Amino acid sequence: MRSFQSMLNYFPEEVLEHIFDFLTSHRDRNAVSLVCKSWFAVERLSREKVFIGNCYAISPERLIARFPRVRSLTLKGKPHFADFNLVPHDWGGFVQPWIESMVKDGVNLEELRLKRMLVSDESLELLSKFFPNFKSLVLVSCDGFSTDGLAAIASNCRFLRELDLQENEVEDRRGQWLSCFPDSCTSLVSLNFACLKGEVNLAALERLVARCRNLRSLRVNHTVPLDALQRILLQAPQLVDLGTGSFVHDPETCNKLETGMPKCTSITSLSGFLEVAACCLPAVYTICSHLTSLNLSYAPGIFSKELVKLICHCNKLERLLVLDTIGDEGLGVVALTCKELQELRVFPSDPYGVGNAVVTEEGLVAISAGCRKLDSILYFCQQMTNAALIMVAKNCPNFIRFRLCTLNPTVPDAVTMQPLDEGFGAIVKSCKGLKRLSVSGLLTDLLFHYIGRYAEQLEMLSIAFAGNSDQGMLYVLNGCKKLKKLEIRDSPFGNEALLADVGKYETMRSLWMSSCEVTLGACKTLAQKMPRLNVEVINESGGDQTEASVDDKVEKMYLYRTLVGPRKDAPDFVWTL
Amino acid sequence: MAKYSSLGLETELTLALPGGGGGGDPSGSMETKQKKRVFFEFSGEESKVVSKNQVVGWPPVCSYRRKNSFSGEERTKMYVKVSMDGAPFLRKIDLSAHEGYSGLIMALEKLFGCYGIGEGDNNEYVPIYEDKDGDWMLVGDVPWQMFSGSCKRLRIMKRLDAKGIKLHAKDLLKGISIEA
């Protein structure tokens, strides 16, 4: 052993670095850093891509100190439940301090990927002006910026390859941000502005597409009409990923599109259809047979019949996002056609109305029977049964992500009226590689017993309106050794569960509990015992921390491990205990 | 299922938000550890549509998606004519551009450059609409989706003209905060 050890010590750093280059996953690189001091040193100086799952777990200064050669940074801000309006808008997650710090230390930033962060126009301007090699900006579910910020990016980033805006709230300032791409800009590979509300200069867009010969991915917003899209496609037959704008137009344009489409043989990913006239859909039938990804989930205007006509051409599909307007029957067609399907998401189109657009357990079972390669599902449904879930578990043991959401959060098995414990239990028992699970429906502590017992690889769990007692949460905390994120709302878990194993939380990224039975006193106790956790209480009803009693139930609590102590940018309504 | 108030009396569950209000449990006994989801159970029946409307963040669909793909309508744009008593010409407004009554009223007020549309007594105008059956209805009685689905045209009527009619539903438009 000793000679082997010495052999390793003589390994030149350059060789180590070269070997580490092959490690693309940040988890692998993290693991490698733990081996010994010299590996830690080599690794940290060679790491270019850094992933930070919680922007408050570390500070920008410490990041740069450890990884001075960082070129690509991924940051996530608000907790996941912020997506559902459970977190006040200005809770935090500002990117500004990160950018300022990187500017100050001369980081050669090339790529920035943000999720649920607050991004200001000022941040975007700094980004565009101080990182001359900046190439890629990906913003997902962010807000705080306007088209002025985008104009700065377009104007100043000379080598921009990627501008990808997904589901952001962007203030439209009516400026012509797209026209700000200079004529010299030919480097774009990916441009996605589907979430923008305002108009763009169509002529500028067409010219931009024409001169960016490497453009692979283009997703336009709803203001781009079909005729403009048709002209763009003529300029960019090399496109691989297309997001259409408004798919509504006269038959003549539809015909033009239909004749033009076959030339786009490279398109494998299709999305958009933000406003759609069903009569125009046949224009895309010719490309359907090479599609691997199809997102129709923003097209409430397409109903089951038309959806099915489209989908029955898509036999290579690996990823499908649709609305529940597809119906169980439509899902049956998917099951027959899409044998390569790996990921399916079915979103609700009309959750409060009296509409008849709905999917049930039947659709899910059909999919599981037909699509054996399925490993990721998000399914919003009217009803569910244990029998169906048991069947699904048997058909598809390869689930990595399984998220089921019943429109009524506490609905029991539609046939037996029993809790859905056995159904979800079957899923966790069968799917040994399950990493992410969201449960809903009538659920008791028994389900959590199953989860704790069988879900060995589980990293993220979302619970709502479920369980009977603290025991439920305890099963999960004690059983799921790889748990990273736990988010719970409206469930009867309280202090006993919260405080049973305080050390557990340092092995996790974060815990969210809202409308549960946890009291302020317990949160304070936890904060006191665990200095390397930030325990934050969100108190929206005003009032001071000193006025509140320790027996008061806490409406929203978010705790996360951190190396840098309480954050200094917390607004008044966030109490860090 | 019943909830025990601080007086130890059984009370019926109300349509309150889960976790909100409710009498404090005097003895802190385990007996009253209610399932939060019990809120939805009305004597064991399936919960009604109404209760869904009152839960923040359910179903868990991100707000971007809520704004862009929720629709009970086949048409994506729903332009209806709006007439205002005293105005020389009509306008058109897109119902699908609004998520609820408050948005609609604000837009109407902007459109005609006036304030005071609503059915409270201090408002000069009352909004009414013609539905699929050809009947003129008071705006605000039914859930927004139902309204926008059946509204064929709008009329902003002078309150004085509606004097004879008793407008019962108090503060319907003011009170509606969660539309869709």
Side-chain angles (χ1 to χ4, degrees), chain B residues 9-167:
Chain B
L9 298 168
E10 269 191 21
T11 55
E12 288 297 312
L13 277 177
T14 59
L15 288 179
L17 286 172
D25 179 24
S27 55
S29 75
M30 293 299 115
E31 206 181 350
T32 56
K33 257 215 169 125
Q34 299 291 324
K35 291 178 281 198
K36 287 289 178 160
R37 65 179 179 282
V38 159
F39 154 71
F40 283 102
E41 291 165 17
F42 298 0
S43 38
E45 284 168 11
E46 263 180 55
S47 64
K48 312 291 183 286
V49 171
V50 169
S51 60
K52 284 181 217 168
N53 275 344
Q54 304 201 1
V55 181
V56 175
W58 197 271
V61 175
C62 69
S63 44
Y64 176 81
R65 190 170 281 285
R66 265 173 205 273
K67 288 177 194 157
N68 288 288
S69 64
F70 282 179
S71 167
E73 289 304 306
E74 286 166 36
R75 299 163 289 169
T76 41
K77 291 222 181 287
M78 295 185 268
Y79 278 100
V80 295
K81 286 186 192 166
V82 191
S83 62
M84 179 167 207
D85 289 356
F89 48 80
L90 279 63
R91 302 294 302 270
K92 269 209 164 164
I93 194 166
D94 176 13
L95 292 181
S96 67
H98 304 284
E99 280 171 41
Y101 288 114
S102 42
L104 174 69
I105 296 301
M106 277 201 304
L108 287 174
E109 288 175 342
K110 233 186 189 174
L111 207 59
F112 289 100
C114 72
Y115 294 101
I117 303 179
E119 59 70 47
D121 278 341
N122 53 344
N123 286 306
E124 200 190 332
Y125 296 97
V126 179
I128 59 176
Y129 72 100
E130 185 185 13
D131 76 351
K132 282 198 172 111
D133 300 321
D135 299 316
W136 285 93
M137 321 280 294
L138 178 66
V139 168
D141 280 335
V142 298
W144 171 259
Q145 296 274 23
M146 213 183 277
F147 158 75
S148 59
S150 58
C151 170
K152 277 177 40 203
R153 58 188 297 166
L154 281 160
R155 176 181 161 200
I156 300 173
M157 196 166 102
K158 279 213 171 75
R159 172 164 295 277
L160 300 166
D161 293 340
K163 260 264 144 94
I165 307 156
K166 284 205 185 107
L167 297 170

Side-chain angles (χ1 to χ4, degrees), chain A residues 390-410:
Chain A
I390 290 169
M391 181 70 71
V392 169
K394 203 169 99 188
N395 291 337
C396 295
N398 298 320
F399 276 118
I400 298 175
R401 283 173 289 273
F402 189 88
R403 292 155 71 190
L404 192 92
C405 178
T406 53
L407 294 178
N408 172 350
T410 57

Side-chain angles (χ1 to χ4, degrees), chain A residues 27 399-402 431-437 457-461 482-483:
Chain A
R27 289 189 187 191
F399 276 118
I400 298 175
R401 283 173 289 273
F402 189 88
C431 304
K432 309 240 186 287
L434 194 68
K435 287 192 180 166
R436 184 169 179 185
L437 177 66
Q457 303 298 321
L458 196 66
E459 294 178 7
M460 183 170 176
L461 178 62
K482 298 212 175 163
L483 196 63

Side-chain angles (χ1 to χ4, degrees), chain A residues 426-460:
Chain A
I427 295 285
V428 295
K429 263 188 236 176
S430 163
C431 304
K432 309 240 186 287
L434 194 68
K435 287 192 180 166
R436 184 169 179 185
L437 177 66
S438 299
V439 296
S440 62
L442 186 66
L443 298 166
T444 73
D445 285 348
L446 180 58
L447 167 65
F448 300 115
H449 167 69
Y450 289 144
I451 292 177
R453 174 119 186 259
Y454 296 107
E456 289 173 359
Q457 303 298 321
L458 196 66
E459 294 178 7
M460 183 170 176

